[in-house]
Amino acid sequence: MSESESDSESVSREVAQRVFAGEFNDASYTFKESDDDRAPVYLLLPTGERANRVFIVGTLTETEDVGEDNEYWRGRIVDPTGTFFVYAGQYQPDAASALREAEPPAYVAVVGKPRTYETDDGEINVSVRPESITEVDAATRDRWVVETADRTLDRIDAFDEAGNEYARMASEEYGDDVSGYTDTVIDGLESLETTDELDDADTGTDADGTETADAADPSPQA
């Protein structure tokens, strides 16, 4: 079975989780729930949910072909809480084409799969392998922020519930203090009242007016 065919099967099975960059970039633990070679690989979110696919919306601030022999596109996408990196190559032709033709800054919606990578110094970085990248408007971005805030708060509220298997796993992997992600939600919601992220992308500032630092490249060429 080809990689694209395998992806197609996963798309029909798995719900794309909404997650802010501030939480997504803290995630590092992946797991399978069966020994089948084709079983889905899940990223464990610190607030206690598994994610085989994610749905993100933010400002595409830059794109670059980082491939050597073949095109391999990297996109940098900023939400109110941090930065996502997405990578698309020959196995994601539509997403690669979208990055190739994009004119940053622009609001984009991305559905894709989390991918982790261990650096030479043992750090685990996480990125997104996009299935689709679509340019959207500011209203769509704002709705995503509100809905992602709601989903994050739901996960936080359920974290201590008896029988919450993924919360127990998250507690073991990341610790049991998820209060910081309430602050992440607040940051996301407050950003809607302050400024336009496309303007920030041009000036290199966050929603609160502070300068943004370039995030580390989280993924090697694949």
Side-chain angles (χ1 to χ4, degrees):
M1 177 179 291
S2 70
E3 182 174 356
S4 59
E5 289 171 337
S6 178
D7 283 354
S8 178
E9 285 191 3
S10 294
V11 167
S12 66
R13 291 196 304 267
E14 302 293 340
V15 173
Q17 302 289 345
R18 297 169 184 268
V19 59
F20 286 120
E23 178 179 1
F24 182 77
N25 290 321
D26 286 344
S28 58
Y29 179 73
T30 58
F31 65 98
K32 290 185 176 184
E33 296 194 322
S34 84
D35 294 329
D36 189 326
D37 289 341
R38 294 183 294 176
V41 176
Y42 296 101
L43 180 72
L44 182 64
L45 300 179
T47 52
E49 184 56 273
R50 64 179 188 174
N52 173 255
R53 301 166 71 232
V54 294
F55 172 43
I56 63 175
V57 180
T59 306
L60 180 67
T61 60
E62 65 179 53
T63 61
E64 182 180 2
D65 180 5
V66 295
E68 296 179 356
D69 297 328
N70 299 297
E71 283 190 342
Y72 189 61
W73 285 88
R74 177 179 64 202
R76 184 177 187 268
I77 298 171
V78 177
D79 81 356
T81 72
T83 299
F84 299 97
F85 283 94
V86 300
Y87 291 83
Q90 60 180 324
Y91 295 112
Q92 304 83 36
D94 292 342
S97 177
L99 291 174
R100 183 190 312 113
E101 297 172 6
E103 296 182 2
Y107 295 126
V108 294
V110 178
V111 175
K113 291 181 175 291
R115 286 293 179 263
T116 56
Y117 168 67
E118 184 173 355
T119 65
D120 291 339
D121 58 5
E123 295 291 325
I124 302 295
N125 288 328
V126 62
S127 61
V128 178
R129 190 184 71 193
E131 298 164 1
S132 65
I133 301 176
T134 306
E135 187 166 344
V136 297
D137 58 17
T140 300
R141 186 282 312 266
D142 291 353
R143 285 195 299 273
W144 177 85
V145 169
V146 172
E147 291 167 2
T148 302
D150 287 342
R151 299 297 184 275
T152 304
L153 290 175
D154 287 345
R155 296 195 296 269
I156 293 171
D157 289 342
F159 193 82
D160 292 323
E161 290 181 358
N164 188 337
E165 172 189 359
Y166 301 117
R168 301 288 71 74
M169 292 174 62
S171 179
E172 293 173 1
E173 294 297 329
Y174 309 121
D176 58 7
D177 183 3
V178 293
S179 60
Y181 298 111
T182 302
D183 295 334
T184 300
V185 168
I186 293 171
D187 289 343
L189 294 175
E190 287 183 342
S191 74
L192 302 180
E193 304 172 358
T194 55
T195 190
D196 187 318
E197 286 180 7
L198 292 185
D199 291 339
D200 291 340
D202 288 330
T203 60
T205 60
D206 282 330
D208 62 2
T210 58
E211 292 186 1
T212 57
D214 288 337
D217 184 346
S219 178
Q221 180 176 343

